[in-house]
Amino acid sequence: MKEFKRSVFIMILLLFTIIFSSAFYFSVFSKTQTDLKKETFKYLLNEVIDISKNIENYNKGMGDFKTVLKNNPLIRTNYNNFLNTFITANLKNIFIVYKDKNSKFFKVLADGSKNPLDRFEFDEKFEPRFKNKWYEVLRNKKPIYFRNSIEGIWYTFLYPVIKDSKVVDYIIVIDFSTKPVLFIEKNLKSLRKLFMSYVAIIIWIIIVLAGFIFYDLRRENEMKKLLKKVQEFNLSLQKKVNEEVQKSREKDKQLILQSRLALMGELLSMIAHQWRQPLNVIAGVVNNMQLDLEFDEIDKKKLKEYNEKLKNTIKYLSQTIDDFRKFYREDKQKELCDVNELIEEVVNMIKPSINNKKIGLKLKLNCKKPVKVLKNEFKQVILNIIKNAEDILIEREIKNPYIIIKTFECDNKCVIEINDNGGGVALQIKDEIFKPYFTTKDEKNGTGLGLYMSKNIIEKRLNGVLSVYNNENGAVFRIELEVEDEYKRDQGNN
Amino acid sequence: MKKILLLFISLGILLAFSNEERFLFERLFQSLFNKKIIKIYTNKEGAKLIKKSRILKIVFTCDKADLILGIVDINCSKPVFVLNYYIYKNNSNVLGAFYWRKGRPQLRLRKNIIKKYKLNLSKDFEDFLE
Ligand SMILES: Nc1ncnc2c1ncn2[C@@H]1O[C@H](COP(=O)(O)OP(=O)(O)O)[C@@H](O)[C@H]1O
Ligand SMILES: [Mg+2]
């Protein structure tokens, strides 16, 4: 904007300079023009005056001019011829007139004109135009000139010749043309036109230039604005992307929790299985205590024994409750854990229900390196996979069903493989099972979210890999997790 | 005097335009004959000058005319006004003349002829009497 103002200022300055300088030149030009006209006119006039003086001098040499002419027709003719020699294109008429005091007419003494139709006779009466000018000459005895016709080309010059320095003897009249002045004027006019058009062109150029600059600046400004907009847009886009990423993360979290809740029902049945045994124990102890009381066989030692048993059992119960509760807690951050321990915790939770279903469970936990995971989410994955295996084994009514869970180290990774003998995943759906809402089970039993969430948790949140393949017995779900850096080094040292 | 000068300046200016001679003739002849309409017997040259006039009517017989304008080959006792200096000069019975000299209009009137025909002349034209 600053730039814009400056250039506009410069343009206006330039324009004004040109206008003012043109006005100045123009006035100088006009002055020279009028001066030139005046000078040229003066030059013409001087010529006419000189001629008149020459004629006067010549006439003086003739003696008493009027009487000589009056008396001698031959001299008259010669004299007319003499006057004729002065006539040029610019000196149209030369003639000599006088006026007697008592006569009311001017009379002509001599006329240089060659044209017989337009030539005054000697002593012919003459009625001048602009009579007052002529009388003025008689009165003032001074030469005078005035414009003769309306066109203004012809001027009349009156030159009085004075007799005895008292009265005007006669007047030499010369009609002269100011054509040279007009000629000069014409040329000057065309020059002026040229000058004007030159100025006009310059002003026009400046205006066009100003227009261009204006346009250019405006375009630049618009571009700047656009750039700013793009930048703003980029910023807002970044913000939006961030927001969306955040949102999808939130959604993922939500989904994880949701799917975890979906496990609730199954977990409740697990709890029921888990609690059946200890509750039986408690019931048995309470029963024994009652019997002992009835038969009055209670003593301190026995009571202590019962107490101990009850305490342990209740502790176990509360332990399992804690385990389940923990599972529903959202993970705050990744922790360094022993994978085997986590798996054992899951197995502990699930074991009673699996046992109940007569499914064999074998653990071969050999991964000794710790990994950094979100505990509950990891457990959720394991639980999911085990539950799926269990579902398949039940669904397909496999004889001697079992699940094998292995952990081992491979290339600085901790690998967890969960294998069942349920016959594996059908090849057609192998690519589908990790997609959300894909399930082969009926509505009551399957949501289709389990494996999708598991893959999400392992790959997006724990930076691991979850894959599936079939072996001769059934499906193998394989989880690979990066071993923590420091422990990698340890291994390298070993 | 001033009035006359003014008249002549205006006349001069008017005469600078062609066909303003007609205007002069109208005024002059109206003054001479003291009539609204003057019948004129004329030649080609004169007809050219006055043919557009509403005051100066061209007639084709000398008997009906008030005035003869220019030279005509007819014996007629009407006053004659000519358009040439030399004719005016050489014929003393001519009433008057109008002609140009060096772009300057010239008017001449003879007093004795005006008297002879018992014509009157307004003061505006007295300057041209001789
Ligand atoms: N161990 C397995 N053996 C064979 N098929 C399996 C196994 N685990 C999962 N599947 C298949 O993968 C599908 C998707 O599993 P999942 O995502 O957990 O959803 P859901 O358990 O609700 O059906 C299951 O419906 C099942 O057909
Ligand atoms: Mg499932």
PDB file of all heavy atoms in Angstrom, chain A residues 384-385 388-389 391-392 395-396 420 422-426 429 433-435 438-441 445-452 470 474-477, ligand 1:
ATOM      1  N   ASN A 384      -8.877 -61.583  23.668  1.00  0.00           N
ATOM      2  CA  ASN A 384      -9.652 -61.658  22.439  1.00  0.00           C
ATOM      3  C   ASN A 384      -9.310 -62.895  21.635  1.00  0.00           C
ATOM      4  O   ASN A 384     -10.185 -63.627  21.176  1.00  0.00           O
ATOM      5  CB  ASN A 384      -9.304 -60.437  21.584  1.00  0.00           C
ATOM      6  CG  ASN A 384     -10.537 -59.613  21.312  1.00  0.00           C
ATOM      7  OD1 ASN A 384     -11.609 -60.175  21.123  1.00  0.00           O
ATOM      8  ND2 ASN A 384     -10.378 -58.311  21.328  1.00  0.00           N
ATOM      9  N   ILE A 385      -8.022 -63.066  21.437  1.00  0.00           N
ATOM     10  CA  ILE A 385      -7.571 -64.171  20.573  1.00  0.00           C
ATOM     11  C   ILE A 385      -7.919 -65.515  21.218  1.00  0.00           C
ATOM     12  O   ILE A 385      -8.395 -66.439  20.546  1.00  0.00           O
ATOM     13  CB  ILE A 385      -6.063 -64.046  20.291  1.00  0.00           C
ATOM     14  CG1 ILE A 385      -5.802 -62.760  19.462  1.00  0.00           C
ATOM     15  CG2 ILE A 385      -5.552 -65.267  19.516  1.00  0.00           C
ATOM     16  CD1 ILE A 385      -4.354 -62.395  19.318  1.00  0.00           C
ATOM     17  N   ASN A 388     -11.596 -66.091  20.796  1.00  0.00           N
ATOM     18  CA  ASN A 388     -11.907 -66.532  19.435  1.00  0.00           C
ATOM     19  C   ASN A 388     -11.615 -68.014  19.247  1.00  0.00           C
ATOM     20  O   ASN A 388     -12.409 -68.753  18.663  1.00  0.00           O
ATOM     21  CB  ASN A 388     -11.098 -65.725  18.424  1.00  0.00           C
ATOM     22  CG  ASN A 388     -11.752 -64.392  18.107  1.00  0.00           C
ATOM     23  OD1 ASN A 388     -12.913 -64.183  18.495  1.00  0.00           O
ATOM     24  ND2 ASN A 388     -11.045 -63.520  17.432  1.00  0.00           N
ATOM     25  N   ALA A 389     -10.441 -68.435  19.783  1.00  0.00           N
ATOM     26  CA  ALA A 389     -10.040 -69.842  19.660  1.00  0.00           C
ATOM     27  C   ALA A 389     -11.068 -70.732  20.355  1.00  0.00           C
ATOM     28  O   ALA A 389     -11.535 -71.736  19.807  1.00  0.00           O
ATOM     29  CB  ALA A 389      -8.649 -70.038  20.259  1.00  0.00           C
ATOM     30  N   ASP A 391     -14.145 -69.990  20.971  1.00  0.00           N
ATOM     31  CA  ASP A 391     -15.392 -69.984  20.192  1.00  0.00           C
ATOM     32  C   ASP A 391     -15.336 -70.991  19.053  1.00  0.00           C
ATOM     33  O   ASP A 391     -16.280 -71.751  18.822  1.00  0.00           O
ATOM     34  CB  ASP A 391     -15.648 -68.589  19.603  1.00  0.00           C
ATOM     35  CG  ASP A 391     -16.103 -67.594  20.662  1.00  0.00           C
ATOM     36  OD1 ASP A 391     -16.490 -68.058  21.761  1.00  0.00           O
ATOM     37  OD2 ASP A 391     -16.064 -66.375  20.384  1.00  0.00           O
ATOM     38  N   ILE A 392     -14.230 -70.956  18.334  1.00  0.00           N
ATOM     39  CA  ILE A 392     -14.078 -71.859  17.187  1.00  0.00           C
ATOM     40  C   ILE A 392     -14.104 -73.324  17.627  1.00  0.00           C
ATOM     41  O   ILE A 392     -14.790 -74.167  17.029  1.00  0.00           O
ATOM     42  CB  ILE A 392     -12.760 -71.538  16.437  1.00  0.00           C
ATOM     43  CG1 ILE A 392     -12.896 -70.239  15.630  1.00  0.00           C
ATOM     44  CG2 ILE A 392     -12.338 -72.694  15.516  1.00  0.00           C
ATOM     45  CD1 ILE A 392     -13.867 -70.318  14.471  1.00  0.00           C
ATOM     46  N   GLU A 395     -17.560 -74.183  18.562  1.00  0.00           N
ATOM     47  CA  GLU A 395     -18.437 -74.139  17.396  1.00  0.00           C
ATOM     48  C   GLU A 395     -18.228 -75.376  16.518  1.00  0.00           C
ATOM     49  O   GLU A 395     -19.184 -75.965  16.017  1.00  0.00           O
ATOM     50  CB  GLU A 395     -18.153 -72.853  16.610  1.00  0.00           C
ATOM     51  CG  GLU A 395     -19.078 -72.609  15.436  1.00  0.00           C
ATOM     52  CD  GLU A 395     -18.565 -71.491  14.532  1.00  0.00           C
ATOM     53  OE1 GLU A 395     -18.240 -70.397  15.029  1.00  0.00           O
ATOM     54  OE2 GLU A 395     -18.460 -71.731  13.311  1.00  0.00           O
ATOM     55  N   ARG A 396     -16.978 -75.673  16.307  1.00  0.00           N
ATOM     56  CA  ARG A 396     -16.685 -76.791  15.406  1.00  0.00           C
ATOM     57  C   ARG A 396     -16.663 -78.156  16.129  1.00  0.00           C
ATOM     58  O   ARG A 396     -16.321 -79.170  15.513  1.00  0.00           O
ATOM     59  CB  ARG A 396     -15.348 -76.555  14.698  1.00  0.00           C
ATOM     60  CG  ARG A 396     -15.406 -75.310  13.817  1.00  0.00           C
ATOM     61  CD  ARG A 396     -14.190 -75.123  12.963  1.00  0.00           C
ATOM     62  NE  ARG A 396     -14.311 -73.864  12.186  1.00  0.00           N
ATOM     63  CZ  ARG A 396     -13.301 -73.284  11.582  1.00  0.00           C
ATOM     64  NH1 ARG A 396     -12.075 -73.813  11.654  1.00  0.00           N
ATOM     65  NH2 ARG A 396     -13.502 -72.181  10.915  1.00  0.00           N
ATOM     66  N   ASP A 420      -4.521 -72.840  18.027  1.00  0.00           N
ATOM     67  CA  ASP A 420      -5.547 -73.793  18.485  1.00  0.00           C
ATOM     68  C   ASP A 420      -5.644 -74.921  17.478  1.00  0.00           C
ATOM     69  O   ASP A 420      -5.024 -74.862  16.409  1.00  0.00           O
ATOM     70  CB  ASP A 420      -6.888 -73.081  18.654  1.00  0.00           C
ATOM     71  CG  ASP A 420      -7.370 -72.480  17.367  1.00  0.00           C
ATOM     72  OD1 ASP A 420      -7.800 -73.230  16.472  1.00  0.00           O
ATOM     73  OD2 ASP A 420      -7.289 -71.208  17.205  1.00  0.00           O
ATOM     74  N   GLY A 422      -8.456 -75.755  15.941  1.00  0.00           N
ATOM     75  CA  GLY A 422      -9.833 -75.598  15.450  1.00  0.00           C
ATOM     76  C   GLY A 422      -9.940 -75.682  13.937  1.00  0.00           C
ATOM     77  O   GLY A 422     -11.001 -75.407  13.380  1.00  0.00           O
ATOM     78  N   GLY A 423      -8.864 -75.979  13.250  1.00  0.00           N
ATOM     79  CA  GLY A 423      -8.958 -76.143  11.795  1.00  0.00           C
ATOM     80  C   GLY A 423      -8.564 -74.912  10.999  1.00  0.00           C
ATOM     81  O   GLY A 423      -8.458 -74.958   9.783  1.00  0.00           O
ATOM     82  N   GLY A 424      -8.360 -73.780  11.673  1.00  0.00           N
ATOM     83  CA  GLY A 424      -7.831 -72.594  10.985  1.00  0.00           C
ATOM     84  C   GLY A 424      -8.885 -71.686  10.357  1.00  0.00           C
ATOM     85  O   GLY A 424     -10.082 -71.986  10.362  1.00  0.00           O
ATOM     86  N   VAL A 425      -8.375 -70.611   9.835  1.00  0.00           N
ATOM     87  CA  VAL A 425      -9.250 -69.607   9.200  1.00  0.00           C
ATOM     88  C   VAL A 425      -9.398 -69.985   7.729  1.00  0.00           C
ATOM     89  O   VAL A 425      -8.409 -70.256   7.046  1.00  0.00           O
ATOM     90  CB  VAL A 425      -8.634 -68.190   9.289  1.00  0.00           C
ATOM     91  CG1 VAL A 425      -9.597 -67.147   8.740  1.00  0.00           C
ATOM     92  CG2 VAL A 425      -8.240 -67.865  10.711  1.00  0.00           C
ATOM     93  N   ALA A 426     -10.651 -69.975   7.235  1.00  0.00           N
ATOM     94  CA  ALA A 426     -10.866 -70.297   5.823  1.00  0.00           C
ATOM     95  C   ALA A 426     -10.133 -69.278   4.954  1.00  0.00           C
ATOM     96  O   ALA A 426     -10.112 -68.081   5.273  1.00  0.00           O
ATOM     97  CB  ALA A 426     -12.357 -70.255   5.523  1.00  0.00           C
ATOM     98  N   ILE A 429     -11.680 -65.952   3.718  1.00  0.00           N
ATOM     99  CA  ILE A 429     -11.946 -64.838   4.639  1.00  0.00           C
ATOM    100  C   ILE A 429     -10.697 -64.384   5.372  1.00  0.00           C
ATOM    101  O   ILE A 429     -10.756 -63.510   6.243  1.00  0.00           O
ATOM    102  CB  ILE A 429     -13.047 -65.212   5.663  1.00  0.00           C
ATOM    103  CG1 ILE A 429     -12.600 -66.381   6.524  1.00  0.00           C
ATOM    104  CG2 ILE A 429     -14.361 -65.509   4.964  1.00  0.00           C
ATOM    105  CD1 ILE A 429     -13.467 -66.560   7.761  1.00  0.00           C
ATOM    106  N   ILE A 433     -10.851 -60.993   8.078  1.00  0.00           N
ATOM    107  CA  ILE A 433     -11.127 -61.104   9.522  1.00  0.00           C
ATOM    108  C   ILE A 433     -10.661 -59.907  10.337  1.00  0.00           C
ATOM    109  O   ILE A 433     -11.180 -59.640  11.410  1.00  0.00           O
ATOM    110  CB  ILE A 433     -10.532 -62.408  10.128  1.00  0.00           C
ATOM    111  CG1 ILE A 433      -9.023 -62.472   9.883  1.00  0.00           C
ATOM    112  CG2 ILE A 433     -11.228 -63.652   9.574  1.00  0.00           C
ATOM    113  CD1 ILE A 433      -8.351 -63.632  10.630  1.00  0.00           C
ATOM    114  N   PHE A 434      -9.703 -59.138   9.808  1.00  0.00           N
ATOM    115  CA  PHE A 434      -9.220 -57.971  10.567  1.00  0.00           C
ATOM    116  C   PHE A 434     -10.047 -56.721  10.302  1.00  0.00           C
ATOM    117  O   PHE A 434      -9.803 -55.671  10.871  1.00  0.00           O
ATOM    118  CB  PHE A 434      -7.747 -57.701  10.248  1.00  0.00           C
ATOM    119  CG  PHE A 434      -6.826 -58.767  10.760  1.00  0.00           C
ATOM    120  CD1 PHE A 434      -6.171 -59.645   9.911  1.00  0.00           C
ATOM    121  CD2 PHE A 434      -6.629 -58.904  12.146  1.00  0.00           C
ATOM    122  CE1 PHE A 434      -5.330 -60.624  10.399  1.00  0.00           C
ATOM    123  CE2 PHE A 434      -5.783 -59.892  12.639  1.00  0.00           C
ATOM    124  CZ  PHE A 434      -5.128 -60.766  11.777  1.00  0.00           C
ATOM    125  N   LYS A 435     -10.996 -56.838   9.375  1.00  0.00           N
ATOM    126  CA  LYS A 435     -11.818 -55.658   9.070  1.00  0.00           C
ATOM    127  C   LYS A 435     -12.920 -55.503  10.121  1.00  0.00           C
ATOM    128  O   LYS A 435     -13.391 -56.489  10.690  1.00  0.00           O
ATOM    129  CB  LYS A 435     -12.449 -55.812   7.678  1.00  0.00           C
ATOM    130  CG  LYS A 435     -11.409 -55.646   6.589  1.00  0.00           C
ATOM    131  CD  LYS A 435     -12.013 -55.744   5.224  1.00  0.00           C
ATOM    132  CE  LYS A 435     -10.931 -55.546   4.179  1.00  0.00           C
ATOM    133  NZ  LYS A 435     -11.401 -55.948   2.855  1.00  0.00           N
ATOM    134  N   PHE A 438     -16.573 -57.572  10.678  1.00  0.00           N
ATOM    135  CA  PHE A 438     -16.608 -58.850   9.956  1.00  0.00           C
ATOM    136  C   PHE A 438     -16.690 -59.991  10.961  1.00  0.00           C
ATOM    137  O   PHE A 438     -15.862 -60.099  11.869  1.00  0.00           O
ATOM    138  CB  PHE A 438     -15.372 -59.048   9.076  1.00  0.00           C
ATOM    139  CG  PHE A 438     -15.373 -60.404   8.408  1.00  0.00           C
ATOM    140  CD1 PHE A 438     -16.105 -60.620   7.240  1.00  0.00           C
ATOM    141  CD2 PHE A 438     -14.713 -61.494   9.003  1.00  0.00           C
ATOM    142  CE1 PHE A 438     -16.140 -61.873   6.665  1.00  0.00           C
ATOM    143  CE2 PHE A 438     -14.758 -62.752   8.428  1.00  0.00           C
ATOM    144  CZ  PHE A 438     -15.464 -62.938   7.254  1.00  0.00           C
ATOM    145  N   THR A 439     -17.707 -60.794  10.789  1.00  0.00           N
ATOM    146  CA  THR A 439     -17.873 -61.938  11.706  1.00  0.00           C
ATOM    147  C   THR A 439     -18.572 -63.083  10.985  1.00  0.00           C
ATOM    148  O   THR A 439     -19.337 -62.868  10.051  1.00  0.00           O
ATOM    149  CB  THR A 439     -18.672 -61.536  12.975  1.00  0.00           C
ATOM    150  OG1 THR A 439     -18.793 -62.684  13.806  1.00  0.00           O
ATOM    151  CG2 THR A 439     -20.051 -60.999  12.628  1.00  0.00           C
ATOM    152  N   THR A 440     -18.259 -64.289  11.436  1.00  0.00           N
ATOM    153  CA  THR A 440     -18.962 -65.455  10.896  1.00  0.00           C
ATOM    154  C   THR A 440     -19.975 -65.973  11.902  1.00  0.00           C
ATOM    155  O   THR A 440     -20.646 -66.971  11.673  1.00  0.00           O
ATOM    156  CB  THR A 440     -17.976 -66.582  10.545  1.00  0.00           C
ATOM    157  OG1 THR A 440     -17.228 -66.899  11.712  1.00  0.00           O
ATOM    158  CG2 THR A 440     -17.061 -66.196   9.409  1.00  0.00           C
ATOM    159  N   LYS A 441     -20.021 -65.272  13.044  1.00  0.00           N
ATOM    160  CA  LYS A 441     -20.904 -65.734  14.112  1.00  0.00           C
ATOM    161  C   LYS A 441     -22.234 -64.999  14.046  1.00  0.00           C
ATOM    162  O   LYS A 441     -22.354 -63.957  13.407  1.00  0.00           O
ATOM    163  CB  LYS A 441     -20.238 -65.496  15.477  1.00  0.00           C
ATOM    164  CG  LYS A 441     -18.912 -66.248  15.578  1.00  0.00           C
ATOM    165  CD  LYS A 441     -18.039 -65.683  16.687  1.00  0.00           C
ATOM    166  CE  LYS A 441     -16.620 -66.218  16.506  1.00  0.00           C
ATOM    167  NZ  LYS A 441     -15.686 -65.496  17.367  1.00  0.00           N
ATOM    168  N   ASN A 445     -23.339 -63.737  19.411  1.00  0.00           N
ATOM    169  CA  ASN A 445     -21.998 -64.140  19.811  1.00  0.00           C
ATOM    170  C   ASN A 445     -20.875 -63.277  19.255  1.00  0.00           C
ATOM    171  O   ASN A 445     -19.816 -63.192  19.840  1.00  0.00           O
ATOM    172  CB  ASN A 445     -21.752 -65.587  19.394  1.00  0.00           C
ATOM    173  CG  ASN A 445     -22.650 -66.535  20.158  1.00  0.00           C
ATOM    174  OD1 ASN A 445     -22.866 -66.349  21.350  1.00  0.00           O
ATOM    175  ND2 ASN A 445     -23.224 -67.499  19.456  1.00  0.00           N
ATOM    176  N   GLY A 446     -21.133 -62.669  18.107  1.00  0.00           N
ATOM    177  CA  GLY A 446     -20.010 -61.943  17.497  1.00  0.00           C
ATOM    178  C   GLY A 446     -20.329 -60.507  17.136  1.00  0.00           C
ATOM    179  O   GLY A 446     -21.434 -60.186  16.728  1.00  0.00           O
ATOM    180  N   THR A 447     -19.359 -59.665  17.323  1.00  0.00           N
ATOM    181  CA  THR A 447     -19.510 -58.263  16.925  1.00  0.00           C
ATOM    182  C   THR A 447     -18.665 -57.965  15.684  1.00  0.00           C
ATOM    183  O   THR A 447     -18.887 -56.967  15.005  1.00  0.00           O
ATOM    184  CB  THR A 447     -19.040 -57.313  18.040  1.00  0.00           C
ATOM    185  OG1 THR A 447     -17.675 -57.607  18.323  1.00  0.00           O
ATOM    186  CG2 THR A 447     -19.878 -57.466  19.279  1.00  0.00           C
ATOM    187  N   GLY A 448     -17.644 -58.781  15.440  1.00  0.00           N
ATOM    188  CA  GLY A 448     -16.730 -58.514  14.327  1.00  0.00           C
ATOM    189  C   GLY A 448     -15.717 -57.443  14.644  1.00  0.00           C
ATOM    190  O   GLY A 448     -14.961 -57.026  13.786  1.00  0.00           O
ATOM    191  N   LEU A 449     -15.715 -57.010  15.921  1.00  0.00           N
ATOM    192  CA  LEU A 449     -14.779 -55.936  16.288  1.00  0.00           C
ATOM    193  C   LEU A 449     -13.497 -56.473  16.898  1.00  0.00           C
ATOM    194  O   LEU A 449     -12.467 -55.785  16.892  1.00  0.00           O
ATOM    195  CB  LEU A 449     -15.434 -54.977  17.290  1.00  0.00           C
ATOM    196  CG  LEU A 449     -16.441 -53.985  16.716  1.00  0.00           C
ATOM    197  CD1 LEU A 449     -17.124 -53.227  17.850  1.00  0.00           C
ATOM    198  CD2 LEU A 449     -15.759 -53.022  15.758  1.00  0.00           C
ATOM    199  N   GLY A 450     -13.538 -57.666  17.427  1.00  0.00           N
ATOM    200  CA  GLY A 450     -12.415 -58.197  18.199  1.00  0.00           C
ATOM    201  C   GLY A 450     -11.082 -58.113  17.490  1.00  0.00           C
ATOM    202  O   GLY A 450     -10.154 -57.476  17.998  1.00  0.00           O
ATOM    203  N   LEU A 451     -10.995 -58.726  16.317  1.00  0.00           N
ATOM    204  CA  LEU A 451      -9.697 -58.767  15.627  1.00  0.00           C
ATOM    205  C   LEU A 451      -9.308 -57.402  15.071  1.00  0.00           C
ATOM    206  O   LEU A 451      -8.139 -57.042  15.055  1.00  0.00           O
ATOM    207  CB  LEU A 451      -9.723 -59.815  14.514  1.00  0.00           C
ATOM    208  CG  LEU A 451      -9.597 -61.258  15.018  1.00  0.00           C
ATOM    209  CD1 LEU A 451      -9.652 -62.236  13.853  1.00  0.00           C
ATOM    210  CD2 LEU A 451      -8.311 -61.465  15.805  1.00  0.00           C
ATOM    211  N   TYR A 452     -10.309 -56.639  14.625  1.00  0.00           N
ATOM    212  CA  TYR A 452     -10.036 -55.279  14.124  1.00  0.00           C
ATOM    213  C   TYR A 452      -9.365 -54.453  15.222  1.00  0.00           C
ATOM    214  O   TYR A 452      -8.336 -53.813  15.001  1.00  0.00           O
ATOM    215  CB  TYR A 452     -11.339 -54.624  13.666  1.00  0.00           C
ATOM    216  CG  TYR A 452     -11.220 -53.145  13.415  1.00  0.00           C
ATOM    217  CD1 TYR A 452     -10.485 -52.660  12.333  1.00  0.00           C
ATOM    218  CD2 TYR A 452     -11.816 -52.219  14.268  1.00  0.00           C
ATOM    219  CE1 TYR A 452     -10.363 -51.309  12.114  1.00  0.00           C
ATOM    220  CE2 TYR A 452     -11.694 -50.859  14.054  1.00  0.00           C
ATOM    221  CZ  TYR A 452     -10.966 -50.409  12.976  1.00  0.00           C
ATOM    222  OH  TYR A 452     -10.832 -49.069  12.772  1.00  0.00           O
ATOM    223  N   ASN A 470      -2.272 -70.368   9.071  1.00  0.00           N
ATOM    224  CA  ASN A 470      -2.810 -71.673   9.511  1.00  0.00           C
ATOM    225  C   ASN A 470      -1.683 -72.699   9.554  1.00  0.00           C
ATOM    226  O   ASN A 470      -0.851 -72.747   8.649  1.00  0.00           O
ATOM    227  CB  ASN A 470      -3.873 -72.160   8.532  1.00  0.00           C
ATOM    228  CG  ASN A 470      -5.143 -71.329   8.608  1.00  0.00           C
ATOM    229  OD1 ASN A 470      -5.447 -70.753   9.666  1.00  0.00           O
ATOM    230  ND2 ASN A 470      -5.873 -71.253   7.502  1.00  0.00           N
ATOM    231  N   GLY A 474      -4.570 -75.788  13.132  1.00  0.00           N
ATOM    232  CA  GLY A 474      -5.547 -74.686  13.131  1.00  0.00           C
ATOM    233  C   GLY A 474      -4.860 -73.350  12.960  1.00  0.00           C
ATOM    234  O   GLY A 474      -3.734 -73.270  12.476  1.00  0.00           O
ATOM    235  N   ALA A 475      -5.563 -72.286  13.385  1.00  0.00           N
ATOM    236  CA  ALA A 475      -5.053 -70.926  13.183  1.00  0.00           C
ATOM    237  C   ALA A 475      -3.956 -70.604  14.186  1.00  0.00           C
ATOM    238  O   ALA A 475      -4.021 -71.038  15.339  1.00  0.00           O
ATOM    239  CB  ALA A 475      -6.184 -69.921  13.317  1.00  0.00           C
ATOM    240  N   VAL A 476      -2.977 -69.840  13.682  1.00  0.00           N
ATOM    241  CA  VAL A 476      -1.942 -69.326  14.579  1.00  0.00           C
ATOM    242  C   VAL A 476      -1.979 -67.794  14.481  1.00  0.00           C
ATOM    243  O   VAL A 476      -1.779 -67.225  13.411  1.00  0.00           O
ATOM    244  CB  VAL A 476      -0.537 -69.827  14.165  1.00  0.00           C
ATOM    245  CG1 VAL A 476       0.514 -69.276  15.131  1.00  0.00           C
ATOM    246  CG2 VAL A 476      -0.503 -71.333  14.087  1.00  0.00           C
ATOM    247  N   PHE A 477      -2.279 -67.149  15.608  1.00  0.00           N
ATOM    248  CA  PHE A 477      -2.229 -65.674  15.650  1.00  0.00           C
ATOM    249  C   PHE A 477      -0.888 -65.284  16.224  1.00  0.00           C
ATOM    250  O   PHE A 477      -0.506 -65.719  17.298  1.00  0.00           O
ATOM    251  CB  PHE A 477      -3.388 -65.109  16.471  1.00  0.00           C
ATOM    252  CG  PHE A 477      -4.685 -65.194  15.712  1.00  0.00           C
ATOM    253  CD1 PHE A 477      -5.461 -66.346  15.740  1.00  0.00           C
ATOM    254  CD2 PHE A 477      -5.108 -64.113  14.932  1.00  0.00           C
ATOM    255  CE1 PHE A 477      -6.642 -66.422  15.017  1.00  0.00           C
ATOM    256  CE2 PHE A 477      -6.295 -64.195  14.213  1.00  0.00           C
ATOM    257  CZ  PHE A 477      -7.068 -65.339  14.245  1.00  0.00           C
TER     258      PHE A 477
HETATM  259  N1  LIG C   1      -8.811 -69.165  15.886  1.00  0.00           N
HETATM  260  C1  LIG C   1      -9.632 -68.980  14.845  1.00  0.00           C
HETATM  261  N2  LIG C   1      -9.844 -70.008  13.949  1.00  0.00           N
HETATM  262  C2  LIG C   1     -10.674 -69.825  12.898  1.00  0.00           C
HETATM  263  N3  LIG C   1     -11.355 -68.681  12.633  1.00  0.00           N
HETATM  264  C3  LIG C   1     -11.178 -67.652  13.497  1.00  0.00           C
HETATM  265  C4  LIG C   1     -10.334 -67.744  14.611  1.00  0.00           C
HETATM  266  N4  LIG C   1     -10.359 -66.527  15.279  1.00  0.00           N
HETATM  267  C5  LIG C   1     -11.231 -65.735  14.573  1.00  0.00           C
HETATM  268  N5  LIG C   1     -11.705 -66.425  13.524  1.00  0.00           N
HETATM  269  C6  LIG C   1     -12.646 -65.849  12.530  1.00  0.00           C
HETATM  270  O1  LIG C   1     -12.485 -64.463  12.493  1.00  0.00           O
HETATM  271  C7  LIG C   1     -13.754 -63.800  12.656  1.00  0.00           C
HETATM  272  C8  LIG C   1     -13.573 -62.478  13.290  1.00  0.00           C
HETATM  273  O2  LIG C   1     -13.231 -62.535  14.613  1.00  0.00           O
HETATM  274  P1  LIG C   1     -13.455 -61.276  15.562  1.00  0.00           P
HETATM  275  O3  LIG C   1     -12.881 -60.108  14.872  1.00  0.00           O
HETATM  276  O4  LIG C   1     -12.912 -61.588  16.885  1.00  0.00           O
HETATM  277  O5  LIG C   1     -15.000 -61.137  15.605  1.00  0.00           O
HETATM  278  P2  LIG C   1     -16.025 -62.063  16.360  1.00  0.00           P
HETATM  279  O6  LIG C   1     -15.267 -62.872  17.318  1.00  0.00           O
HETATM  280  O7  LIG C   1     -16.996 -61.117  17.011  1.00  0.00           O
HETATM  281  O8  LIG C   1     -16.678 -62.880  15.264  1.00  0.00           O
HETATM  282  C9  LIG C   1     -14.528 -64.762  13.419  1.00  0.00           C
HETATM  283  O9  LIG C   1     -15.915 -64.583  13.179  1.00  0.00           O
HETATM  284  C10 LIG C   1     -14.026 -66.112  12.924  1.00  0.00           C
HETATM  285  O10 LIG C   1     -14.747 -66.508  11.756  1.00  0.00           O
END
